[in-house]
Amino acid sequence: MTFVPKSRRAKFDLTLHIHDLNNVPLVAGSSFVRWHLPTSRAAEHRGRTHKCPIKDHRVQYDYEQQIPVRLTVSKDGMLQDYFADFEVQQEYGTGGKNERITLGKLKLNLAEYVEASEVQSPGP
């Protein structure tokens, strides 16, 4: 791991919204989304939605979480990539036993979602 001075690590408050999922293959069961920031070991940088029921091939999560993150500013003043991983799980019961399948995985580069007005140049 390389050392990056604090003056090149910009602090942001990430508001994570997970609204809903459409076109779920099954009509019954429940679903949840696991998420984490793979470059961090902090407990606040991982979580999951509640298990929400599937209704008419749709799941309504209505999940929101505030997360402090630090993104690195490169020497040329650009934010370096900082990823968040998401995994959508579906559970359904068969014969009194719940089974779980992964519906999909998503990797988002959070640096691409920072508005230019939020980025301040590093201090002296």
Side-chain angles (χ1 to χ4, degrees):
M1 178 187 255
T2 59
F3 174 74
V4 177
K6 253 190 176 173
S7 64
R8 288 199 14 236
R9 292 188 0 220
K11 185 176 181 181
F12 294 93
D13 290 322
L14 168 67
T15 303
L16 175 63
H17 293 277
I18 301 175
H19 296 284
D20 60 12
L21 179 66
N22 293 311
N23 298 324
V24 178
L26 295 179
V27 195
S30 62
S31 175
F32 62 93
V33 179
R34 283 190 219 168
W35 61 269
H36 76 283
L37 307 178
T39 58
S40 173
R41 293 181 186 224
E44 63 190 357
H45 289 165
R46 64 179 53 248
R48 64 176 253 179
T49 66
H50 292 289
K51 290 182 183 179
C52 300
I54 299 168
K55 293 181 183 172
D56 298 323
H57 300 284
R58 183 174 184 198
V59 182
Q60 193 75 31
Y61 298 109
D62 293 325
Y63 178 85
E64 183 175 318
Q65 185 75 32
Q66 294 280 359
I67 310 158
V69 295
R70 286 196 181 268
L71 278 67
T72 302
V73 179
S74 65
K75 291 181 180 179
D76 63 358
M78 299 295 290
L79 288 175
Q80 292 184 343
D81 291 347
Y82 193 84
F83 291 97
D85 292 344
F86 299 87
E87 183 176 87
V88 181
Q89 296 281 317
Q90 179 175 338
E91 286 188 340
Y92 57 95
T94 55
K97 177 178 131 181
N98 278 343
E99 294 194 34
R100 184 180 295 172
I101 59 171
T102 300
L103 291 178
K105 295 181 181 185
L106 176 67
K107 185 176 213 155
L108 286 180
N109 182 357
L110 298 179
E112 294 178 7
Y113 292 89
V114 175
E115 294 182 22
S117 62
E118 295 178 10
V119 180
Q120 299 175 358
S121 35

